[in-house]
Amino acid sequence: MSPLDLTILTGGLLVAGFAKGAAAMGLPLIATPILAGVFGPRLAVVIVTVPIFAANTILILQDWKRLRELRHLGVLVLLGIAGTAVGSQLLAQLDQRTFALLITAMVAVFLLRGDRLLGDDPTVGRGRVIGPFIALAGGLLQGTTSIASPLVGSYFHALRLQPRDFVLSLAVLFEFNSVTQIVSYGLAGLYTPQAVAYGIAGLVPALVGLAAGIALRGRLDPRRFRQGIVVLLVVSAVNLLRTAFFP
């Protein structure tokens, strides 16, 4: 690896970690394309699972006393696990351009019509139907690409959660998906010594960025937080299309 590659990777993981700390999403979305430019898409997806797992663990431990309040996420967690298990078996076999277009379309729908789509009370009616579908599709995306945040994040954004609830909900869902992903990749023999070494090395910049993002999040009011999520989702969708169609 050249010094330039090392600099790009370190900077990319710092930014990715910062996004994760501030908004509970964005680490794989930012880091995976950068890693793919050096290691190739398949190895990049495997490497990034290490900092993803570590970052979600830290976010959950920060607010672990409130986990009981998220028992209503049980069905979503189970469907996310199922989707991730299936997606992990399909890694590098599915058309990434099709995925990118579908994700972007869903993000646009939730940002533009999320409130109407879910109704006045997202916990009943349409919200109960759409939520499980999003969890299953998000798991499938995480298993194949490690990138589920544009879809899952846009759904939870439409729920108008408070920043603290938004972050913990995403961290819990992504953590269970991450564990499933790691186990599936391990059974498939994808964790070569090289992949593990790079994944562990990537923890340092990713976690430094995570700490900075967490510090900033504590200073944002809910309105600013939601505005930041919208910006991140839009940038995420654009970046996803760019990497899919112009690698």
Side-chain angles (χ1 to χ4, degrees), residues 123-199:
T123 62
V124 301
R126 287 170 289 180
R128 285 186 174 179
V129 175
I130 295 173
F133 168 76
I134 294 298
L136 183 63
L140 183 63
L141 290 168
Q142 184 154 346
T144 54
T145 67
S146 285
I147 300 173
S149 57
L151 178 59
V152 179
S154 61
Y155 168 74
F156 278 94
H157 172 267
L159 296 181
R160 295 186 174 276
L161 300 177
Q162 291 297 311
R164 189 178 178 187
D165 296 327
F166 181 91
V167 169
L168 187 58
S169 296
L170 285 189
V172 168
L173 284 175
F174 290 155
E175 181 77 328
F176 278 100
N177 288 358
S178 178
V179 171
T180 305
Q181 189 180 21
I182 289 172
V183 171
S184 297
Y185 288 1
L187 293 174
L190 298 179
Y191 284 108
T192 63
Q194 180 191 35
V196 173
Y198 283 133

Side-chain angles (χ1 to χ4, degrees), residues 1-246:
M1 184 187 303
S2 69
L4 178 59
D5 286 338
L6 182 60
T7 300
I8 293 173
L9 291 176
T10 302
L13 285 168
L14 273 170
V15 174
F18 180 83
K20 182 70 175 179
M25 53 184 283
L27 195 159
L29 185 74
I30 296 171
T32 303
I34 294 174
L35 292 171
V38 179
F39 301 107
R42 181 165 179 163
L43 182 56
V45 170
V46 177
I47 292 172
V48 81
T49 59
V50 179
I52 289 174
F53 173 76
N56 284 320
T57 299
I58 290 173
L59 291 178
I60 291 172
L61 289 177
Q62 273 198 315
D63 220 2
W64 66 271
K65 292 183 179 180
R66 298 182 60 246
L67 289 176
R68 291 183 178 179
E69 300 175 20
L70 301 183
R71 284 178 292 184
H72 62 283
L73 294 179
V75 173
L76 302 187
V77 167
L78 291 175
L79 288 171
I81 291 173
T84 303
V86 173
S88 297
Q89 304 303 314
L90 300 176
L91 177 62
Q93 297 179 25
L94 299 179
D95 181 14
Q96 299 306 306
R97 292 185 177 185
T98 301
F99 267 103
L101 288 172
L102 288 173
I103 295 170
T104 302
M106 290 180 184
V107 169
V109 167
F110 275 107
L111 289 181
L112 297 175
R113 291 288 184 268
D115 295 341
R116 293 183 180 181
L117 189 64
L118 296 177
D120 294 331
D121 187 353
T123 62
V124 301
R126 287 170 289 180
R128 285 186 174 179
V129 175
I130 295 173
F133 168 76
I134 294 298
L136 183 63
L140 183 63
L141 290 168
Q142 184 154 346
T144 54
T145 67
S146 285
I147 300 173
S149 57
L151 178 59
V152 179
S154 61
Y155 168 74
F156 278 94
H157 172 267
L159 296 181
R160 295 186 174 276
L161 300 177
Q162 291 297 311
R164 189 178 178 187
D165 296 327
F166 181 91
V167 169
L168 187 58
S169 296
L170 285 189
V172 168
L173 284 175
F174 290 155
E175 181 77 328
F176 278 100
N177 288 358
S178 178
V179 171
T180 305
Q181 189 180 21
I182 289 172
V183 171
S184 297
Y185 288 1
L187 293 174
L190 298 179
Y191 284 108
T192 63
Q194 180 191 35
V196 173
Y198 283 133
I200 293 174
L203 285 174
V204 176
L207 294 184
V208 169
L210 181 79
I214 290 173
L216 175 66
R217 173 168 33 98
R219 302 176 184 178
L220 294 176
D221 63 45
R223 186 173 66 86
R224 292 292 185 187
F225 181 83
R226 284 180 56 80
Q227 290 174 344
I229 294 298
V230 171
V231 171
L232 184 57
L233 287 169
V234 172
V235 172
S236 297
V238 171
N239 188 48
L240 198 59
L241 289 173
R242 181 189 64 81
T243 55
F245 288 90
F246 305 99

